[in-house]
Amino acid sequence: TISEYLATQPWREQIKTYREVYRARRDALLESLQALMPPGTTWTVPMGGFYSWLTLPHGLDATAMLPRAVASLVAYVPGTGFYVDGQGRQNLRLSYCYPEPDRIREGVRRLAAVIEGEIDLTQTFGTGRARGSLTGSSVPAPDLQ
């Protein structure tokens, strides 16, 4: 069955088409990241696959930021899901395989606004290290170091 399919179907053309589709989506992601991300944000340039790995500016936490991102109608996978030892808090995985390029650009615009908001919060209240930790009360304390 497989031999018959490979002998009679245009699978090479399908692969060419899919490579072009995913290249356009990857390029939309990378161009948007370059144009919109705040200083201190870095990302990988995928040579294949469907994802880019983004590193947030110092002091930001992708897991803590996720509810605000979802409220802004953008989502990602926090980096902690890819480690067994608690690493990855400053990382997130962005997928570009499904959305059309215009939706990718809009998602990056929204994500950049969320990251900029997190930077503002961090500059105002300190780094996210103290978030969720208790200091003798039920209220998280700001990092005053």
Side-chain angles (χ1 to χ4, degrees), residues 15-29:
I15 291 172
K16 182 179 183 281
T17 298
Y18 289 131
R19 288 183 69 184
E20 291 169 2
V21 165
Y22 294 129
R23 181 180 298 118
R25 292 175 181 183
R26 181 205 61 191
D27 291 351
L29 176 71

Side-chain angles (χ1 to χ4, degrees), residues 39-84:
T41 308
T42 61
W43 53 89
T44 60
V45 176
M47 300 307 290
F50 302 115
Y51 309 100
S52 180
W53 187 251
L54 187 134
T55 301
L56 295 168
H58 179 73
L60 300 190
D61 182 326
T63 302
M65 189 176 76
L66 184 58
R68 287 178 283 285
V70 171
S72 295
L73 302 178
V74 65
Y76 54 82
V77 180
T80 53
F82 300 93
Y83 293 90
V84 297

